[in-house]
Amino acid sequence: MNKNIFLIDKDTKENLGNIDFIPKREDRMIITRSWKRLEYKVKCIVHCPDENGVLVFVELSDNYYDKIIENIKWK
C-alpha cells in the first residue's frame, strides 16, 4: 500500500512537496525552491493512518552540507 509522504515546513506550515521515502529525525535534505538550493533538517514525523499519509516536518537549516557537496571532486 502506497503512502502519501508530505514534506511540511514547520515554521511556515507550507507543503514543500511529496517525497518517496520516510526519512529519520535529524536527516538533512537539499531542496531547490525558486531557483535556490535550501537545506532542511527533519524535526518530526507524524503518521496519519486514517488518511494513509505521513507528514514530515522540517526546519530550514544553514547550507553547511550543500557547500561541502558543491566542492566534491567527482571522478
Side-chain angles (χ1 to χ4, degrees):
M1 178 186 284
N2 291 339
K3 289 194 179 282
N4 298 312
I5 305 170
F6 300 97
L7 206 54
I8 308 293
D9 186 309
K10 184 178 164 212
D11 297 322
T12 65
K13 311 300 186 271
E14 180 183 0
N15 179 4
L16 301 174
N18 294 54
I19 56 176
D20 59 357
F21 65 97
I22 299 175
K24 294 180 289 207
R25 191 168 186 270
E26 298 298 317
D27 277 356
R28 290 186 180 235
M29 296 181 199
I30 298 169
I31 300 168
T32 302
R33 298 201 29 106
S34 302
W35 307 100
K36 186 174 182 182
R37 290 170 55 98
L38 300 173
E39 193 167 323
Y40 288 90
K41 186 186 287 188
V42 175
K43 289 301 187 181
C44 179
I45 300 158
V46 178
H47 296 266
C48 304
D50 292 344
E51 288 82 23
N52 192 32
V54 176
L55 301 178
V56 178
F57 288 92
V58 295
E59 246 177 23
L60 193 58
S61 180
D62 61 324
N63 280 13
Y64 178 77
Y65 288 100
D66 188 38
K67 291 176 183 174
I68 291 174
I69 291 168
E70 288 177 357
N71 293 321
I72 294 175
K73 293 177 179 70
W74 301 99
K75 292 185 180 189

